[in-house]
Amino acid sequence: MLGAAALPEINVKTIIEPFRIKTVEPIRMTSREERAALIREAGYNPFRLKAEHVLIDLLTDSGTGAMSTRQWAGIMEGDESYAGAKSFFRFEKAVRGIFGHRYVIPTHQGRASERLLCRAVVKPGHVVPGNTHFDTTRANIEDAGAEARDLVIAEGRDPEIEHPFKGNIDLDALDACLCELGAARVPFVLITVTNNSGGGQPVSMANLAGARAVCERHRVPLLLDAARFAENAYFIKLREPGYAEKTPAAIAREMFSLSDGALMSMKKDAFGNIGGVISVNSEEWWDQIRTLLILTEGFPTYGGLAGRDLEALAIGIEEILDEDYLRYRIASTAYVGKHLAACGVPLLKPFGGHAIYLNGRKFCDHLTDEELPGWALSVALYEHVGVRACEIGNVMFGRRDADGAWQWPALDLVRLAIPRRTYTQSHMDYVIEGIDELHRQRRSIRGLRFVHRPAVLPHFTATFEMV
Ligand code: F0G
């Protein structure tokens, strides 16, 4: 043996996808001409495109993730009994093991949870304060005749400011709101983790504890919209003093321990293609919700889902808390943000957990609010690059006041939502290059105007024409 020096420990810093690929789904390139015709036929609404005509689909991270081998195996174990299925008890145990509330009610997706809860406990004249309500949450609160009031901290409304927890609720504003209205007019406070409509920004544990204290003082229940609870937990681990050594599961449990209940779309941080849940401590609420559940969703041990879905969700909600996965998830999303920022593309900062948000107004600073800059950018992104993204801005939240004048939201964003475990780094390199090119030619992006604007959730079905 020659006396070779011992190698120093090799410390590879690249964060890789912590999985290998067993099944693939082909995607197909289209030409620029084809896409121009397709988006025109779709009334310039990316929601109205056929998915097969999209190369890389960043419309949503909801229901679009890849399931694991364990989840697929679980699907074969699904118990499809109408009542008392084994899969329900597995699901209940998995959810309760993390959320910790007494009653677990499966639903077919997040908005079904919202609808059932609102039907049960929200009355006309009520106000539901939150950090920023997601659009379907807001719609369900309003449909019950109540007001959805957004009380995110001021930093959360500024797309440029760096703040570790831009999803935080303004505790003084919350206290003032509860002082003004009292428990009689506030059925619950709902904090969304992470704050999707505010840019996928996390809420700190300290803020949740502060909100808990305010709610307790006013005797108002605190609920979490937990669609992306695991990503929120991992941000707490990364950014909040005292949490670096804790596991994401322990952090998640602590978050839920501050709440009286939770709603969740399990299409996000449970790796489900479909599914949702309501989890509450109140027996009275449980009873009311269960009655409504039977009316429209199904028997309480399946709630609109197949037994196989319950199995996949029970496994998914545990897998999501895997530390290797969350490290990769947050790092791979930030990778897209970092490279786009380096090209000078205007983005919401800091980068969210599930998505990168382009600043539509800045990207298209040659367009006025009436010309729907974020929406126009999302249309151009499809036409020029084949990527589908989602506007969260003027079209989604713009409203006319009593005099018919438009009220535009504080932010006009285009969200690049990244499905979980679905695309590789080279897909993201393609997206980055495409957006960089589009940004260089941004002045050629044309504005749009409404042809048809439905009154509720207009973005899903509205049609447009070029200005
Ligand atoms: N709450 C949040 C925070 C959400 O992001 C969503 C859905 C829902 C509730 C409703 O859940 O879709 O299962 O009925 N967000 C998706 C998105 C649609 O693309 O952000 P759902």
Side-chain angles (χ1 to χ4, degrees), residues 60 109-111 114 134 136 192 196 225 228 265 268 415:
T60 178
Q109 65 182 87
R111 69 199 71 181
E114 293 159 4
F134 182 67
T136 59
T192 303
N196 184 14
D225 176 338
R228 298 176 183 84
S265 165
K268 285 84 170 173
R415 183 182 73 169

Side-chain angles (χ1 to χ4, degrees), residues 47 58-63 107-114 132-137 140 190-197 225-228 263-268 273-276 354 357 390 392 396 415 417 459-460:
F47 278 98
L58 307 183
L59 187 68
T60 178
D61 62 321
S62 181
T107 64
H108 79 270
Q109 65 182 87
R111 69 199 71 181
S113 302
E114 293 159 4
T132 314
H133 293 291
F134 182 67
D135 56 351
T136 59
T137 323
N140 274 297
L190 182 67
I191 297 187
T192 303
V193 292
T194 57
N195 192 25
N196 184 14
S197 305
D225 176 338
R228 298 176 183 84
L263 305 177
M264 181 178 181
S265 165
M266 300 184 86
K267 301 171 74 171
K268 285 84 170 173
N273 296 130
I274 196 74
H354 67 297
Y357 295 71
C390 178
I392 301 195
M396 196 182 272
R415 183 182 73 169
H459 51 290
F460 288 135

Side-chain angles (χ1 to χ4, degrees), residues 171-319:
L171 295 174
D172 292 334
L174 178 63
D175 193 42
C177 171
L178 297 184
C179 283
E180 175 205 331
L181 300 165
R185 284 191 57 202
V186 182
F188 55 85
V189 172
L190 182 67
I191 297 187
T192 303
V193 292
T194 57
N195 192 25
N196 184 14
S197 305
Q201 302 293 323
V203 177
S204 72
M205 194 73 80
N207 189 252
L208 289 176
R212 164 98 223 152
V214 173
C215 286
E216 258 177 22
R217 204 160 55 242
H218 293 276
R219 300 185 172 280
V220 171
L222 174 62
L223 305 190
L224 299 184
D225 176 338
R228 298 176 183 84
F229 76 96
E231 290 168 9
N232 199 91
Y234 198 71
F235 276 122
I236 288 177
K237 182 180 170 82
L238 289 178
R239 298 180 184 172
E240 191 159 352
Y243 288 93
E245 302 303 323
K246 297 199 170 151
T247 63
I251 297 170
R253 286 193 193 97
E254 188 177 334
M255 286 163 50
F256 287 109
S257 75
L258 296 166
S259 73
D260 301 290
L263 305 177
M264 181 178 181
S265 165
M266 300 184 86
K267 301 171 74 171
K268 285 84 170 173
D269 275 359
F271 291 123
N273 296 130
I274 196 74
V277 72
I278 308 176
S279 161
V280 289
N281 282 330
S282 159
E283 187 173 349
E284 192 190 328
W285 283 16
W286 172 63
D287 195 51
Q288 284 167 277
I289 292 165
R290 211 174 35 157
T291 305
L292 292 165
L293 183 85
I294 294 170
L295 219 57
T296 59
E297 291 273 302
F299 192 74
T301 58
Y302 71 85
L305 293 169
R308 55 179 173 271
D309 298 324
L310 294 167
E311 291 282 342
L313 295 169
I315 295 164
I317 202 166
E318 291 178 351
E319 279 185 356

Side-chain angles (χ1 to χ4, degrees), residues 8-14:
E9 195 185 333
I10 296 176
N11 185 7
V12 181
K13 291 190 202 63
T14 305

